[in-house]
Amino acid sequence: MPTGGTRAQGTHPAPRSLRPASRKTSLRIASCLARIWIQAEVKSVRGGSNLLMTPDQAAAELGVTKRVLMDSYRRWGIPYVKVGKHVRFRTRDLHNWVDARVQGG
């Protein structure tokens, strides 16, 4: 007869590394993996991707700050997509916009 505990003899809780992750942790991991995948796609695909970039990613691609991009994208005529209330930039549209402005080449 086991003494002092309610756990059946010979059973132990699963080690922490084998327990299922919490929903919050799973979402955080999925978000990080998606961000890594998007960054890899943005760097490897030139001109033909329908991938949507966040303003941070688009600003980095253009070499400006997010603030400058968000203040100027309409005035500059950069094509954008609204996803709910969020502004996104399609990779190929951004690259085509840059290519259309190349001068002296």
Side-chain angles (χ1 to χ4, degrees):
M1 185 119 209
T3 58
T6 58
R7 197 178 298 148
Q9 189 172 0
T11 61
H12 300 281
R16 188 173 184 90
S17 62
L18 298 178
R19 293 181 195 159
S22 70
R23 179 169 167 76
K24 186 176 180 182
T25 301
S26 296
L27 290 174
R28 193 174 313 141
I29 291 169
S31 174
C32 289
L33 290 174
R35 194 174 320 117
I36 291 167
W37 179 78
I38 287 171
Q39 289 171 351
E41 283 293 312
V42 168
K43 290 178 183 173
S44 67
V45 177
R46 181 80 176 151
S49 176
N50 282 326
L51 204 62
L52 296 177
M53 292 190 283
T54 65
D56 286 323
Q57 293 167 330
E61 190 78 12
L62 293 173
V64 298
T65 64
K66 178 183 174 185
R67 176 72 180 213
V68 168
L69 177 65
M70 295 310 290
D71 287 347
S72 307
Y73 71 94
R74 286 189 185 120
R75 186 167 28 97
W76 291 346
I78 298 176
Y80 63 95
V81 177
K82 291 287 278 198
V83 180
K85 65 179 182 176
H86 303 284
V87 173
R88 296 292 182 256
F89 301 93
R90 195 165 38 188
T91 303
R92 74 172 165 176
D93 290 342
L94 195 62
H95 289 188
N96 290 339
W97 180 82
V98 169
D99 291 342
R101 279 149 189 79
V102 173
Q103 297 179 6

